[in-house]
Structures are given as C-alpha cells and as structure tokens.
Amino acid sequence: DTLFLLKHHERFRKFEVTRDLSEHLPQVHANAEQLIQVFMAIMLNALDAMEEGGSLMVRSRLGTVHEDEVEVEIEDTGAGIPRAELPKFYTAKPPGRGTGLGLSVCYGIVADHGGRIEADSQPGRGSVFRVFLPVAGKAGE
C-alpha cells in the first residue's frame, strides 16, 4: 500500500524501485494506517538520502532472526548514516527538509505493536532499515 501511494510522488519517479514481497506471510495484528506512515517515513528518508537518484529495495519475508516475526526490509543506495548516529533513530535533516514522521516516532509506533526497528548503514553505501512485527497469536497476544 505504501509503494502504491508513493509511486505518485514526483520525486519517487527518479529512483529504481525493486519489490521482493512474500505472498504467503502469517498475519500480524497491527494498525495498517500507522504502519503505512512508518514505511512511508522510512522510504521518504531514503529518497532524501538519494538526492541524485539511486535504488530502493523493499522486501518482506518471514523473520530471518525469529520465525514468529514478519520482517520488512527497506534498503537504499543513499548517503548512509554514520555508525555512531544509528542508535539515535532520528533524522538529521536541515531545517525545513522534514517530510513527516521522524524515525524516533516510527520506532515508538513499531514498539507499540510489539515490534522493533533495526538499521545498518555505511556512509557512502546506503542504509537498510528492518521492521520486525510479531506474528498474530505470538509475542504477547
């Protein structure tokens, strides 16, 4: 749903988008609108990190760490984030460049759903954000 909404965004057309979405994932109990906001914020941050173009990969699958999770991975070829900044889960954009939810708000929304966000990044090589959500009937259900 998020990719459908963003494909109409003018800046989104400058990027190569690859989708690798598993079709038969278990259900998660979640507020769909809130998760769309989370995924949109992460993807818009990725677009900001790739001002001159690049590629975005969106992948969903059964959790690679825990099988009782669904994992959504968003990977970009943008500027990257210094390792020391990753644990902060915030956007260090200049004033006036904000486009929506900050990553700290996204982290809170996902945590409220019993999940977590992890990120890996290297300056000059891009970033990978992974959203893990518990399968319905697991982890506190």
Side-chain angles (χ1 to χ4, degrees):
D1 290 344
T2 306
L3 288 170
F4 176 78
L5 292 171
L6 283 177
K7 78 177 184 178
H8 300 294
H9 197 288
E10 184 177 318
R11 289 184 335 162
F12 205 71
R13 295 181 185 148
K14 294 191 317 187
F15 304 95
E16 176 185 340
V17 178
T18 305
R19 299 160 46 138
D20 181 12
L21 306 176
S22 295
E23 292 186 26
H24 302 291
L25 291 173
Q27 292 288 316
V28 298
H29 284 298
N31 180 310
E33 288 82 18
Q34 286 183 337
L35 291 182
I36 287 171
Q37 290 179 336
V38 166
F39 297 136
M40 185 172 294
I42 293 170
M43 288 183 209
L44 287 174
N45 284 341
L47 295 185
D48 285 344
M50 300 186 293
E51 289 183 11
E52 303 302 318
S55 63
L56 184 72
M57 163 67 84
V58 180
R59 180 180 293 118
S60 66
R61 58 188 169 207
L62 194 59
T64 57
V65 177
H66 303 287
E67 289 185 11
D68 61 349
E69 296 177 319
V70 169
E71 179 179 340
V72 177
E73 185 175 89
I74 300 167
E75 181 175 0
D76 68 63
T77 59
I81 303 167
R83 184 167 298 285
E85 301 297 317
L86 278 175
K88 297 178 184 176
F89 286 102
Y90 70 76
T91 303
K93 293 180 191 170
R97 289 288 310 268
T99 55
L101 298 179
L103 291 177
S104 61
V105 175
C106 293
Y107 180 81
I109 290 170
V110 172
D112 287 347
H113 285 82
R116 69 189 186 286
I117 298 177
E118 296 179 358
D120 291 316
S121 186
Q122 288 187 345
R125 297 186 135 199
S127 301
V128 179
F129 283 83
R130 292 178 191 87
V131 178
F132 299 91
L133 296 164
V135 169
K138 309 280 184 185
E141 285 295 312

